[in-house]
Amino acid sequence: MRAGLIVQARNGSTRFPKKMLTQIAGKRAIEWVLSRAGKVKADLKVLATTYLEEDNSFCQIARDFGWEVLKGDPSDVLSRYAQAVRFYELSTVIRITGDCPLIDPRLIEMAFDKFMEEKADYLSLVGIIDGFDVEVMSGDAILLADKRAKLPSEREHVSPYIRKSKRTKKVFFKPFEEDLSYIHLSLDYPEDARVIERIIEALNYKEDFSYQEVVALIKERPELLERKEHIVVNEGYLKSLEEDREFIRKLKGKPLKLENSLKHFEKTKRLIPNCSQTFSKSYLQFSVGASPLFVKEGKGCELTDLDDNRYIDYTMGLGACLLGYAFEPVLEKVKKELERGTVFTLPSYLETQLAELLVELVPCAEKVRFGKNGSDVTSAAVRLARAYTGRDLIASCGYHGWQDWYIGTTTRNKGVPEAVQKLTLTFEYNNIESLRRLFEEYPDQIACVIMEPVGVEEPKEGFLQKVKELTHKHGALLIFDEVVTGFRFSLGGAQEFFGVEPDLACFGKAMANGMPVSAVVGRAELMGLFEEVFFSFTFGGETASIVSAIATVEYIKDHSVIPYIWEQGRKLKEGIQKLIEEKELEDLVFVKGYPVRFLLDFYGDKALKLKTLFQQECAKRGVLFTGSHNMALPHTDQIIEKTLEVYDRVLDIIKYALEYDMVEELIEGRLLEPVFRRM
């Protein structure tokens, strides 16, 4: 344990040049500071100045008083303190600024003793006259601040980062009952020197006067404090806060070139509602004017927009492209199939081949039917359950597509008859009682429970098994919507991963690496009803997609793709979490979900604004951010490293923009909108 008393001083003050060499009552200002502070019993006393030639005059003065001298960066005071901590191996630092000629060694020792007693990381005296300021900090806190502090105010004034940190134990010690912090006796202007000199003269040039003696004096003779001009207290710090704001503005990236994208947007608005076939891909989810709106091509995990900007993508076609865009081993087989034709008068033999593969891999699969979208097969499964049970009501949890039976439960329910809306009930994930209440309220009326086995929230211990038991107890069927989880959590889907087998399951998205195909699978006795239940459309067995699904699933199986994306997802998720913790943003930013598919989002009433700003600044740096991180084969270590570098810089912008109330000022485009709003 080694404590060091460090006085910082320089001659380069803009308000009062060479103030530390100013004569006050027969001594230079710096001599008053060094002689009075020097009475403190510390292991080491250091004058921290700069390496500028104009500050060399301090060095000999300090040495004459028996002080060590350390020279450092003139514009980075924090780095000087960190340099002292490392060089002198200090566990504790007592910080005194050179503009405190009246500093009282008794106050310094009082502050140090309280710091040690409280086992604090940081302590400052409060309620005392400005000019008697003392701060005590741990060496570790200074080193951490030096590593992470970036704002001008944090670098110039040493302690702001430590004071703002949620990780440090801070003590604001008021040694006296009366608050006199409004009185200004620090040396910031030439007139301050005259006031300080009058006080020393009134004390009969006594060298060892105390803080209390100064207080008693100015109460007895308040005219000693009279100045011709008004003094702005802490003007230097206030100025650095303005510098902070300019620094934050400069953190923003250069605006993207989006002329072609915006021109195409105006054209598309006249032709296509929402400018997209999918709400999640529409301009509502991308900041118009600051983010790309249309894609030209994709390869691996990179997209190119209409203005030839390139982006790392983690949404991966809403999770469909597990192997990456335009994945050659799959493309080769699709190209060959295209040459043979894709839709025929008779079913293709390839449908059987894919069905065999799914029956082999998926625990609940004994028979299979194909669709094109997730909505096709979830709706087919619901219709099948109603046919099997003779009941009408559905209990659902999660997102299940655009069809009336489900979308009627959301805020996007326009056009859905009220009678249809009433047929679907909802329950809360991880709340088995919410499902139990539905069965009790609607006895013998619920045909099935359809749910996503997992979203971004992990199932509680035994939750999925309890859902299955409760569902079967009441004579209903259990349907797992694995459109998202299938071939991502494991080859057999989330049902294999969690060890809970449903009656029916629905797959899509990643099954064909971007080609349109989906599947409903389940027990043979249930699936046999499809010979009577109408589920039929022209493109259900389109062979290019069937071949793509076969090639995709076989590649995933043969090349251990799923363990790889789990590992890469862990690296990215843990890397993001580390950044959040380092920047102390846990109350603002969160990552949630399993490594193969997780979400980065924001808390609070400014969440959408923060997401808009985050997307904007990520796009400028080559990462297309939507919040979702659907890990895929092309997300290599190099891609993850670059992503974390971008997130590192952009999280700084988010942190400072919120701290300085600059979020709206920094947003360049249109605010994002949620696809669904709260009911």
Side-chain angles (χ1 to χ4, degrees):
M1 299 289 289
R2 198 174 193 212
L5 174 64
I6 300 180
V7 170
Q8 67 188 66
R10 62 187 178 94
N11 272 317
S13 170
T14 54
R15 287 165 292 160
F16 190 178
K18 296 188 177 181
K19 65 180 181 181
M20 299 314 302
L21 299 178
T22 298
Q23 289 286 333
I24 299 176
K27 289 183 184 179
R28 287 170 287 194
I30 188 64
E31 293 175 314
W32 279 106
V33 178
L34 295 176
S35 64
R36 287 180 60 75
K39 292 180 172 61
V40 172
K41 294 177 182 179
D43 297 317
L44 188 75
K45 295 163 188 170
V46 181
L47 174 71
T49 188
T50 82
Y51 50 64
L52 297 177
E53 187 175 346
E54 64 186 36
D55 290 328
N56 286 340
S57 54
F58 290 140
C59 300
Q60 192 55 52
I61 297 173
R63 292 190 181 103
D64 290 344
F65 277 88
W67 289 59
E68 295 285 327
V69 175
L70 182 142
K71 298 180 181 181
D73 191 325
S75 60
D76 189 348
V77 184
L78 176 57
S79 70
R80 284 186 246 160
Y81 276 78
Q83 185 181 342
V85 169
R86 284 188 289 264
F87 185 78
Y88 297 113
E89 299 180 342
L90 301 176
S91 60
T92 307
V93 168
I94 304 165
R95 177 184 178 233
I96 306 296
T97 56
D99 53 12
C100 295
L102 300 177
I103 190 70
D104 185 352
R106 300 164 190 81
L107 283 182
I108 297 174
E109 291 178 346
M110 189 184 299
F112 179 76
D113 290 343
K114 188 67 173 177
F115 176 87
M116 300 303 291
E117 176 191 332
E118 295 283 346
K119 297 180 181 177
D121 299 300
Y122 172 85
L123 179 142
S124 70
L125 298 182
V126 295
I128 59 172
I129 295 171
D130 178 31
F132 289 85
D133 310 284
V134 181
E135 290 181 307
V136 189
M137 294 165 269
S138 72
D140 288 342
I142 289 172
L143 293 179
L144 185 63
D146 184 52
K147 181 180 179 182
R148 295 182 181 168
K150 297 175 182 177
L151 295 174
S153 64
E154 296 172 342
R155 305 304 307 185
E156 183 179 351
H157 298 279
V158 182
S159 60
Y161 180 91
I162 301 171
R163 292 200 306 269
K164 289 185 285 187
S165 173
K166 300 166 190 168
R167 306 265 192 270
T168 54
K169 181 180 179 182
K170 295 171 282 290
V171 176
F172 298 95
F173 177 41
K174 188 177 180 183
F176 308 107
E177 186 174 337
E178 188 175 15
D179 187 344
L180 299 175
S181 57
Y182 61 91
I183 298 174
H184 176 79
L185 287 178
S186 64
L187 185 61
D188 295 316
Y189 301 93
E191 195 171 356
D192 292 332
R194 292 189 286 274
V195 172
I196 292 169
E197 186 170 55
R198 287 201 298 267
I199 288 173
I200 294 173
E201 289 172 351
L203 291 167
N204 298 317
Y205 297 94
K206 179 181 176 181
E207 293 201 3
D208 191 25
F209 54 84
S210 68
Y211 173 78
Q212 288 93 333
E213 287 178 273
V214 174
V215 171
L217 176 67
I218 59 180
K219 284 184 176 181
E220 182 183 342
R221 298 177 57 188
E223 71 277 3
L224 292 173
L225 299 178
E226 290 179 1
R227 291 175 168 84
K228 294 179 181 178
E229 297 180 8
H230 174 69
I231 296 297
V232 180
V233 180
N234 292 325
E235 184 179 8
Y237 184 65
L238 295 174
K239 179 183 176 185
S240 67
L241 293 181
E242 284 304 311
E243 292 172 354
D244 285 353
R245 297 179 71 85
E246 188 57 33
F247 175 85
I248 295 165
R249 292 184 187 101
K250 290 179 180 178
L251 285 179
K252 283 206 314 175
K254 182 180 177 182
L256 283 169
K257 178 188 174 186
L258 296 169
E259 287 85 351
N260 293 335
S261 185
L262 292 172
K263 190 182 298 183
H264 192 74
F265 175 59
E266 293 303 320
K267 177 182 178 181
T268 306
K269 274 201 298 185
R270 296 193 296 270
L271 300 168
I272 301 175
N274 273 339
C275 299
S276 171
Q277 313 312 312
T278 312
F279 263 108
S280 299
K281 298 179 184 180
S282 78
Y283 68 90
L284 301 176
Q285 304 304 299
F286 296 90
S287 182
V288 179
S291 297
L293 302 175
F294 301 95
V295 67
K296 184 160 64 176
E297 62 181 358
K299 184 68 177 175
C301 63
E302 290 193 342
L303 296 178
T304 304
D305 70 9
L306 299 189
D307 294 276
D308 292 323
N309 301 304
R310 295 176 65 187
Y311 311 92
I312 295 170
D313 182 30
Y314 284 97
T315 311
M316 299 306 295
L318 307 183
C321 297
L322 184 68
L323 300 177
Y325 298 116
F327 186 64
E328 286 297 334
V330 173
L331 276 184
E332 289 173 8
K333 296 182 179 181
V334 172
K335 288 174 185 175
K336 288 179 182 177
E337 192 59 32
L338 286 172
E339 293 174 356
R340 296 169 37 162
T342 59
V343 178
F344 310 105
T345 303
L346 300 173
S348 167
Y349 73 98
L350 293 167
E351 295 175 37
T352 306
Q353 188 176 335
L354 178 56
E356 285 179 329
L357 190 57
L358 295 180
V359 168
E360 173 195 340
L361 295 174
V362 179
C364 78
E366 294 177 351
K367 287 189 176 183
V368 183
R369 279 295 305 269
F370 299 116
K372 302 304 292 177
N373 295 289
S375 296
D376 297 341
V377 290
T378 55
S379 298
V382 164
R383 183 176 294 179
L384 187 68
R386 282 172 165 158
Y388 182 79
T389 62
R391 301 173 178 179
D392 292 336
L393 298 186
I394 307 300
S396 76
C397 178
Y399 171 77
H400 305 297
W402 73 274
Q403 303 279 18
D404 284 7
W405 70 269
Y406 166 71
I407 210 66
T409 68
T410 75
T411 56
R412 296 282 183 185
N413 59 10
K414 284 189 177 180
V416 180
E418 187 177 346
V420 175
Q421 294 179 36
K422 291 178 179 178
L423 294 176
T424 302
L425 316 168
T426 60
F427 66 98
E428 183 182 346
Y429 193 78
N430 269 334
N431 183 352
I432 194 66
E433 292 306 316
S434 66
L435 179 60
R436 194 187 311 279
R437 283 194 294 271
L438 292 182
F439 278 117
E440 290 172 354
E441 189 174 350
Y442 302 95
D444 302 323
Q445 297 177 63
I446 297 175
C448 65
V449 171
I450 181 168
M451 65 181 298
E452 292 183 279
V454 64
V456 294
E457 181 181 351
E458 297 185 12
K460 292 178 181 176
E461 183 69 30
F463 172 69
L464 295 176
Q465 187 60 47
K466 289 176 184 176
V467 169
K468 179 177 178 178
E469 292 169 359
L470 186 60
T471 301
H472 286 173
K473 176 183 175 181
H474 289 276
L477 299 181
L478 176 61
I479 304 169
F480 275 178
D481 179 347
E482 296 228 44
V483 172
V484 172
T485 57
F487 308 106
R488 179 170 293 280
F489 277 73
S490 73
L491 274 168
Q495 60 188 270
E496 180 181 63
F497 182 81
F498 292 111
V500 179
E501 190 174 316
D503 299 302
L504 299 168
C506 305
F507 291 83
K509 287 195 187 287
M511 187 167 80
N513 202 53
M515 290 292 283
V517 65
S518 57
V520 54
V521 307
R523 299 202 323 260
E525 64 167 310
L526 300 175
M527 295 294 294
L529 274 179
F530 273 126
E531 294 184 7
E532 302 173 47
V533 171
F534 199 78
F535 179 56
S536 174
F537 33 87
T538 302
F539 297 103
E542 173 262 308
T543 58
S545 296
I546 297 289
V547 163
S548 182
I550 294 168
T552 297
V553 175
E554 288 184 339
Y555 191 95
I556 292 171
K557 181 175 66 170
D558 296 342
H559 293 82
S560 299
V561 171
I562 294 176
Y564 176 77
I565 65 168
W566 272 94
E567 178 60 24
Q568 296 306 94
R570 284 190 195 95
K571 291 175 185 175
L572 181 61
K573 185 183 175 187
E574 288 173 5
I576 296 171
Q577 186 62 46
K578 183 180 178 183
L579 289 175
I580 292 170
E581 290 171 2
E582 285 178 352
K583 299 175 192 301
E584 301 184 16
L585 291 172
E586 296 95 328
D587 295 337
L588 180 67
V589 189
F590 65 91
V591 283
K592 188 175 184 180
Y594 286 85
V596 289
R597 177 179 177 259
F598 64 89
L599 184 71
L600 188 163
D601 210 344
F602 303 87
Y603 295 115
D605 57 1
K606 289 192 175 181
L608 273 178
K609 291 179 181 179
L610 294 173
K611 186 175 180 180
T612 302
L613 179 57
F614 195 87
Q615 182 187 86
Q616 166 188 302
E617 294 304 313
C618 283
K620 292 175 180 179
R621 293 162 174 83
V623 175
L624 185 61
F625 174 82
T626 65
S628 296
H629 293 74
N630 300 311
M631 300 306 296
L633 185 62
H635 290 137
T636 62
D637 287 350
Q638 185 178 5
I639 291 291
I640 289 171
E641 184 179 337
K642 181 178 177 182
T643 303
L644 290 174
E645 288 173 0
V646 169
Y647 284 6
D648 185 10
R649 294 196 292 271
V650 179
L651 282 172
D652 278 340
I653 296 173
I654 293 294
K655 176 180 179 178
Y656 300 141
L658 200 62
E659 183 179 335
Y660 283 75
D661 195 22
M662 295 174 66
V663 176
E664 289 85 353
E665 176 187 335
L666 298 181
I667 291 174
E668 298 168 4
R670 183 183 183 276
L671 281 181
L672 306 183
E673 292 185 24
V675 174
F676 299 108
R677 294 173 176 83
R678 290 186 181 274
M679 292 288 281

